[in-house]
Amino acid sequence: MKNLYTLFAIVVAVAALSSCTTRYYAPGLYQNDVQFMIKPHSKDSVKTRIYASGTYLAQSGANGQGSSGSGMLNVYQSRTIPHFNFSYGVMGYTGVYSVSELNTSGTNAQNVIVNKTFSGYGFNGSTSFYLSTKKTDFRIIGVDLSYTHEGGDYLAFRKAQVGQPNVRSAAQPQLFSYGIFTEFIVRPNDATNFGFKFFTNHTAGNIARDLRRTDGLYNWSGTGTYGFTSFVGFNHLNFHTTFALASSNSILAGSSQIGVAYKF
């Protein structure tokens, strides 16, 4: 039995070492590309609005390695008709992906391994079916869509890493994600509204294959994201925060967004 425990300990140590020495690189907005889109309340006097939102996005990198921070501008139109909402718009973003680790000199200083910029554009849309009361809209089921196309130093870096030893790199510039959500919004008066949104998103394409682990322990890479958004609006301004968890090679990674939107 003692020999069995020793063998098990060796296998775990080798697996951990293998996981640590393999680098994973995903697009800058991976698992954080779907944006919150405001829709007029069914009791609003104006049922069609144009919105401009500025959002800061932060997330862990693939397999929990590194992190990225970016800023995004999203301009879109939203329309509410009896029992349905629609939104469609364009996006532009820029950010930085970085990886650092403790140096080997015994101090707590960080060695920066990767520090690359990225930027891009995209298109997004959202629609939902709702039921309403005098002050509330319950958007029972909705669908989000997001397409982004990335460029910059980080994309060039990922392309150069494809095929390198101990590296799993997703070199595609585009991301296409879709999701479903449930949303609840309260309108206590003409100037104020607040609510919550619960969602799950999925990124399509070969990115799960490109980021798959090769050590055989968890030979799977999830592309699902689960989270919630809270928002509050007053007159022409709306503030929102989003928190989500995603799985990459059975390792949980977090993402967040904080933004403000102006309605015209």
Side-chain angles (χ1 to χ4, degrees):
M1 183 64 70
K2 182 177 180 180
N3 291 336
L4 182 61
Y5 287 153
T6 302
L7 178 61
F8 178 75
I10 293 174
V11 170
V12 171
V14 171
L17 181 61
S18 174
S19 174
C20 290
T21 56
T22 301
R23 301 291 184 186
Y24 295 84
Y25 301 114
L29 295 185
Y30 180 50
Q31 298 182 322
N32 204 20
D33 52 329
V34 177
Q35 301 300 297
F36 174 62
M37 305 183 82
I38 306 165
K39 304 173 181 67
H41 192 278
S42 61
K43 300 303 187 292
D44 285 352
S45 58
V46 179
K47 300 296 195 296
T48 300
R49 289 281 193 180
I50 294 177
Y51 299 87
S53 68
T55 306
Y56 176 75
L57 304 87
Q59 73 248 30
S60 302
N63 210 52
Q65 297 178 358
S67 62
S68 66
S70 56
M72 175 175 288
L73 176 64
N74 189 189
V75 178
Y76 57 94
Q77 183 177 77
S78 294
R79 177 177 299 180
T80 294
I81 62 175
H83 299 297
F84 288 95
N85 305 97
F86 307 91
S87 300
Y88 41 88
V90 296
M91 304 178 287
Y93 63 93
T94 184
V96 177
Y97 171 83
S98 62
V99 179
S100 59
E101 64 181 14
L102 289 175
N103 64 31
T104 58
S105 64
T107 69
N108 290 326
Q110 298 282 325
N111 285 331
V112 176
I113 302 172
V114 179
N115 190 64
K116 300 292 182 180
T117 61
F118 59 87
S119 59
Y121 63 89
F123 308 93
N124 58 340
S126 180
T127 184
S128 63
F129 169 78
Y130 71 89
L131 297 176
S132 63
T133 66
K134 184 177 181 180
K135 293 184 179 295
T136 64
D137 279 358
F138 180 30
R139 295 162 184 171
I140 301 173
I141 183 70
V143 176
D144 285 324
L145 298 173
S146 176
Y147 171 85
T148 58
H149 191 280
E150 180 185 322
D153 293 341
Y154 184 42
L155 174 62
F157 171 80
R158 295 201 313 273
K159 289 181 176 180
Q161 295 300 307
V162 173
Q164 296 296 315
N166 299 319
V167 173
R168 303 293 290 173
S169 183
Q172 66 265 39
Q174 70 281 340
L175 286 177
F176 174 69
S177 297
Y178 57 90
I180 58 174
F181 67 86
T182 294
E183 190 171 296
F184 184 76
I185 179 172
V186 181
R187 180 181 180 271
N189 54 59
D190 292 345
T192 308
N193 66 80
F194 62 90
F196 303 90
K197 173 182 178 179
F198 299 90
F199 61 84
T200 177
N201 300 322
H202 177 78
T203 301
N206 294 325
I207 190 166
R209 179 201 65 190
D210 295 339
L211 297 176
R212 186 175 293 125
R213 287 177 65 159
T214 59
D215 55 23
L217 288 180
Y218 300 99
N219 197 24
W220 173 82
S221 179
T223 56
T225 305
Y226 308 89
F228 72 93
T229 297
S230 61
F231 56 92
V232 57
F234 182 75
N235 289 332
H236 287 267
L237 291 177
N238 187 288
F239 303 89
H240 70 271
T241 57
T242 296
F243 298 95
L245 286 176
S247 175
S248 177
N249 291 324
S250 300
I251 294 177
L252 288 178
S255 63
S256 63
Q257 301 181 16
I258 181 169
V260 58
Y262 183 87
K263 68 178 181 182
F264 294 90

